[in-house]
Amino acid sequence: MIYFDNAATSFPKPEVVYESTLEAMKDYGANPGRAGHKLALRAGRGIYEARDVLSRLFNIKNPMNLIFTYNCTDSLNLGIKGLLKKGDHVITTSMEHNSVLRPLKHLEREGVEVTIINGDTKGRINPLDIEKNIRENTKMIIMTHISNLTGTIMPVKKVGEIAKKHGIIYMVDGAQSAGVYDIDVEDMNIDLLAFPGHKGLLGPQGTGGLYVRDGISLKELKEGGTGSSSDSLYQPDIMPDKYESGTPNSPGIIGLGNGVNYILEKGISNIREHEEKLTSYFIEELLKVDGVKIYGPLDIKEQAPVVSINIRDEDSSEISYILDEEYNIAVRSGLHCAPLAHKTIGTFKQGVIRFSFGVFNTYEEIELGIEAIKEISKEV
């Protein structure tokens, strides 16, 4: 199968990720931080090494400020619900995934005020529109780094400067950018960074993380065993233990750490350049195909390796089914858990067919994808 669904989960993974994950299960599958024997210590060391390498990737000064979670949704819920309370105001955008919008709409019912800044038809957000909507009670600005629908790269650094100027906590959803695009939490003034392990970071599913800047206190969403302060009936207040109750996904985290090591060894700029070239060529060729509608900026400087299309007015799910059944090409159709983004670009009723490329995709695969679209466009 030709796999063009990397925006959902990257596949395949580097061999070192498979090997290290399996090794962590077979050779030292013990509870980290819960005992003093060799297997537990080795598992704990593996988790710390993953925390350390992720901190280097994102320029996080203190690795203990990085909390491991089970996915980006888990991280976003912790950052959003752990910070906002009744009477607070939060600003977000129409290009967000439901992992941002649903927690915010839930809190809106409890008295949190939510302002949604609309993007343009290319999915772009104007930072000045965000600044104009800041109020006295604005507690947080939260936005995606890259749209999972259009691939639009958002002005995260500029918005970070605005948030810092006004003393507002700034949270970034790195679901589509982590591992491919540079993220520097210091340079971009990011206070909270949510990221998944299973996408651009090339780790297993069931892994993710949340960076929390010093001085920000989040209400924990769960309590339980941490392996620390076991004499107390109350949750420890130290990082990251406060937010990491229960047995972690040790094999997954260790695999994630090795995914990041692979990225650092290969060079994140080399990975990005490869994916940009594939994306640019794909867009360039599809613009020549009659009946194909392409969404997003269509400029590689503004668009990540996510390309959403439609063929005339055909149902996006039907085209996706044809690609799967007749061409063995895996894509994602429908609304992509981003209904407001679809309304923003005018595809809410039809949905789109999303192609998303990864480090292991090739020009040959791109060519086959283009040819498939050409053939389908002639037949429908």
CSV table of all heavy atoms in Angstrom, one decimal, residues 14-40:
chain,number,residue,atom,x,y,z
A,14,PRO,N,10.8,4.3,11.7
A,14,PRO,CA,12.2,3.8,11.6
A,14,PRO,C,12.4,2.4,12.3
A,14,PRO,O,11.7,2.2,13.3
A,14,PRO,CB,13.1,4.9,12.2
A,14,PRO,CG,12.2,6.1,12.2
A,14,PRO,CD,10.8,5.6,12.4
A,15,GLU,N,13.2,1.6,11.7
A,15,GLU,CA,13.4,0.3,12.3
A,15,GLU,C,13.8,0.4,13.8
A,15,GLU,O,13.4,-0.5,14.6
A,15,GLU,CB,14.5,-0.5,11.5
A,15,GLU,CG,14.0,-1.1,10.3
A,15,GLU,CD,12.8,-2.1,10.5
A,15,GLU,OE1,12.9,-2.9,11.4
A,15,GLU,OE2,11.8,-2.0,9.8
A,16,VAL,N,14.6,1.4,14.1
A,16,VAL,CA,15.1,1.5,15.5
A,16,VAL,C,13.9,1.7,16.5
A,16,VAL,O,14.0,1.3,17.7
A,16,VAL,CB,16.1,2.7,15.7
A,16,VAL,CG1,15.5,4.0,15.4
A,16,VAL,CG2,16.8,2.6,17.0
A,17,VAL,N,12.8,2.3,16.0
A,17,VAL,CA,11.7,2.5,16.9
A,17,VAL,C,11.0,1.1,17.2
A,17,VAL,O,10.7,0.8,18.3
A,17,VAL,CB,10.7,3.5,16.2
A,17,VAL,CG1,9.3,3.5,17.0
A,17,VAL,CG2,11.3,4.8,16.1
A,18,TYR,N,10.8,0.3,16.1
A,18,TYR,CA,10.2,-1.0,16.3
A,18,TYR,C,11.1,-1.8,17.3
A,18,TYR,O,10.7,-2.5,18.2
A,18,TYR,CB,10.1,-1.7,15.0
A,18,TYR,CG,9.2,-1.1,14.0
A,18,TYR,CD1,9.6,-0.8,12.7
A,18,TYR,CD2,7.8,-0.8,14.4
A,18,TYR,CE1,8.7,-0.2,11.8
A,18,TYR,CE2,7.0,-0.2,13.5
A,18,TYR,CZ,7.4,0.1,12.2
A,18,TYR,OH,6.5,0.7,11.3
A,19,GLU,N,12.4,-1.8,17.0
A,19,GLU,CA,13.4,-2.6,17.8
A,19,GLU,C,13.4,-2.2,19.2
A,19,GLU,O,13.4,-3.1,20.1
A,19,GLU,CB,14.8,-2.6,17.1
A,19,GLU,CG,14.8,-3.2,15.7
A,19,GLU,CD,16.1,-2.8,15.0
A,19,GLU,OE1,16.9,-2.0,15.6
A,19,GLU,OE2,16.3,-3.3,13.8
A,20,SER,N,13.5,-0.9,19.5
A,20,SER,CA,13.6,-0.5,20.9
A,20,SER,C,12.3,-0.7,21.6
A,20,SER,O,12.4,-0.9,22.8
A,20,SER,CB,14.1,1.0,20.9
A,20,SER,OG,13.1,1.8,20.2
A,21,THR,N,11.2,-0.5,21.0
A,21,THR,CA,9.9,-0.7,21.6
A,21,THR,C,9.8,-2.2,22.0
A,21,THR,O,9.3,-2.5,23.2
A,21,THR,CB,8.8,-0.3,20.7
A,21,THR,OG1,8.9,1.1,20.4
A,21,THR,CG2,7.4,-0.5,21.4
A,22,LEU,N,10.1,-3.1,21.1
A,22,LEU,CA,10.0,-4.5,21.4
A,22,LEU,C,11.0,-4.9,22.5
A,22,LEU,O,10.6,-5.7,23.4
A,22,LEU,CB,10.2,-5.3,20.1
A,22,LEU,CG,10.1,-6.8,20.3
A,22,LEU,CD1,8.7,-7.2,20.7
A,22,LEU,CD2,10.5,-7.5,18.9
A,23,GLU,N,12.2,-4.4,22.4
A,23,GLU,CA,13.2,-4.7,23.4
A,23,GLU,C,12.8,-4.3,24.8
A,23,GLU,O,13.0,-5.0,25.8
A,23,GLU,CB,14.5,-4.0,23.0
A,23,GLU,CG,15.6,-4.3,24.0
A,23,GLU,CD,16.9,-3.4,23.7
A,23,GLU,OE1,16.8,-2.4,23.0
A,23,GLU,OE2,18.0,-3.8,24.2
A,24,ALA,N,12.1,-3.1,24.9
A,24,ALA,CA,11.7,-2.6,26.2
A,24,ALA,C,10.6,-3.5,26.8
A,24,ALA,O,10.5,-3.6,28.0
A,24,ALA,CB,11.1,-1.1,26.0
A,25,MET,N,9.8,-4.1,25.9
A,25,MET,CA,8.8,-5.0,26.4
A,25,MET,C,9.4,-6.4,26.8
A,25,MET,O,9.0,-7.0,27.8
A,25,MET,CB,7.7,-5.2,25.4
A,25,MET,CG,6.9,-4.0,25.1
A,25,MET,SD,5.6,-4.3,23.8
A,25,MET,CE,4.5,-5.4,24.7
A,26,LYS,N,10.3,-6.9,26.0
A,26,LYS,CA,10.8,-8.3,26.1
A,26,LYS,C,11.9,-8.3,27.2
A,26,LYS,O,12.0,-9.3,27.9
A,26,LYS,CB,11.3,-8.8,24.8
A,26,LYS,CG,10.2,-9.1,23.8
A,26,LYS,CD,10.8,-9.7,22.5
A,26,LYS,CE,11.5,-11.0,22.7
A,26,LYS,NZ,12.0,-11.5,21.4
A,27,ASP,N,12.8,-7.4,27.2
A,27,ASP,CA,14.0,-7.5,28.0
A,27,ASP,C,14.0,-6.8,29.3
A,27,ASP,O,14.7,-7.2,30.2
A,27,ASP,CB,15.2,-6.9,27.2
A,27,ASP,CG,15.5,-7.8,25.9
A,27,ASP,OD1,14.9,-8.8,25.8
A,27,ASP,OD2,16.4,-7.3,25.1
A,28,TYR,N,13.2,-5.7,29.4
A,28,TYR,CA,13.1,-5.0,30.7
A,28,TYR,C,11.7,-4.4,30.9
A,28,TYR,O,11.6,-3.2,31.2
A,28,TYR,CB,14.2,-4.0,30.9
A,28,TYR,CG,14.4,-3.0,29.8
A,28,TYR,CD1,13.9,-1.7,30.0
A,28,TYR,CD2,15.0,-3.3,28.6
A,28,TYR,CE1,14.0,-0.7,29.0
A,28,TYR,CE2,15.1,-2.3,27.6
A,28,TYR,CZ,14.6,-1.0,27.8
A,28,TYR,OH,14.7,0.0,26.8
A,29,GLY,N,10.7,-5.2,30.8
A,29,GLY,CA,9.3,-4.7,30.9
A,29,GLY,C,8.8,-4.6,32.3
A,29,GLY,O,7.8,-5.1,32.7
A,30,ALA,N,9.5,-3.8,33.1
A,30,ALA,CA,9.2,-3.6,34.5
A,30,ALA,C,8.6,-2.2,34.6
A,30,ALA,O,8.7,-1.3,33.7
A,30,ALA,CB,10.4,-3.8,35.4
A,31,ASN,N,8.1,-1.9,35.8
A,31,ASN,CA,7.5,-0.5,36.1
A,31,ASN,C,8.7,0.4,36.5
A,31,ASN,O,9.4,0.2,37.4
A,31,ASN,CB,6.6,-0.6,37.3
A,31,ASN,CG,5.2,-0.7,36.9
A,31,ASN,OD1,4.8,-1.3,35.9
A,31,ASN,ND2,4.3,-0.1,37.6
A,32,PRO,N,8.8,1.5,35.7
A,32,PRO,CA,9.9,2.5,36.0
A,32,PRO,C,9.5,3.3,37.2
A,32,PRO,O,8.3,3.6,37.5
A,32,PRO,CB,9.9,3.4,34.7
A,32,PRO,CG,8.5,3.3,34.2
A,32,PRO,CD,8.0,1.9,34.5
A,33,GLY,N,10.5,3.6,38.0
A,33,GLY,CA,10.3,4.5,39.2
A,33,GLY,C,9.5,3.8,40.3
A,33,GLY,O,9.1,4.5,41.2
A,34,ARG,N,9.3,2.5,40.2
A,34,ARG,CA,8.5,1.9,41.2
A,34,ARG,C,9.2,0.8,42.0
A,34,ARG,O,8.7,0.2,42.9
A,34,ARG,CB,7.2,1.2,40.6
A,34,ARG,CG,6.3,2.1,39.8
A,34,ARG,CD,5.8,3.2,40.5
A,34,ARG,NE,4.6,3.8,39.9
A,34,ARG,CZ,4.6,4.7,39.0
A,34,ARG,NH1,5.8,5.2,38.5
A,34,ARG,NH2,3.5,5.2,38.5
A,35,ALA,N,10.5,0.6,41.7
A,35,ALA,CA,11.3,-0.4,42.4
A,35,ALA,C,12.8,0.0,42.2
A,35,ALA,O,13.1,0.8,41.4
A,35,ALA,CB,11.0,-1.8,41.9
A,36,GLY,N,13.6,-0.7,43.0
A,36,GLY,CA,15.1,-0.5,42.9
A,36,GLY,C,15.8,-1.5,42.1
A,36,GLY,O,17.1,-1.5,42.1
A,37,HIS,N,15.1,-2.5,41.5
A,37,HIS,CA,15.8,-3.6,40.8
A,37,HIS,C,16.3,-3.1,39.4
A,37,HIS,O,15.8,-2.1,38.9
A,37,HIS,CB,15.0,-4.9,40.8
A,37,HIS,CG,13.6,-4.7,40.2
A,37,HIS,ND1,13.4,-4.5,38.8
A,37,HIS,CD2,12.4,-4.7,40.8
A,37,HIS,CE1,12.2,-4.5,38.6
A,37,HIS,NE2,11.5,-4.5,39.7
A,38,LYS,N,17.1,-3.9,38.8
A,38,LYS,CA,17.8,-3.6,37.6
A,38,LYS,C,16.8,-3.3,36.5
A,38,LYS,O,17.0,-2.3,35.7
A,38,LYS,CB,18.7,-4.7,37.2
A,38,LYS,CG,19.9,-4.9,38.1
A,38,LYS,CD,20.8,-6.0,37.5
A,38,LYS,CE,22.0,-6.2,38.4
A,38,LYS,NZ,21.6,-6.8,39.7
A,39,LEU,N,15.7,-4.1,36.3
A,39,LEU,CA,14.8,-3.9,35.2
A,39,LEU,C,14.0,-2.6,35.4
A,39,LEU,O,13.8,-1.9,34.4
A,39,LEU,CB,13.8,-5.1,35.1
A,39,LEU,CG,14.4,-6.5,34.9
A,39,LEU,CD1,13.3,-7.5,34.7
A,39,LEU,CD2,15.4,-6.4,33.7
A,40,ALA,N,13.6,-2.3,36.6
A,40,ALA,CA,12.9,-1.0,36.8
A,40,ALA,C,13.8,0.2,36.6
A,40,ALA,O,13.4,1.2,36.0
A,40,ALA,CB,12.3,-1.0,38.2
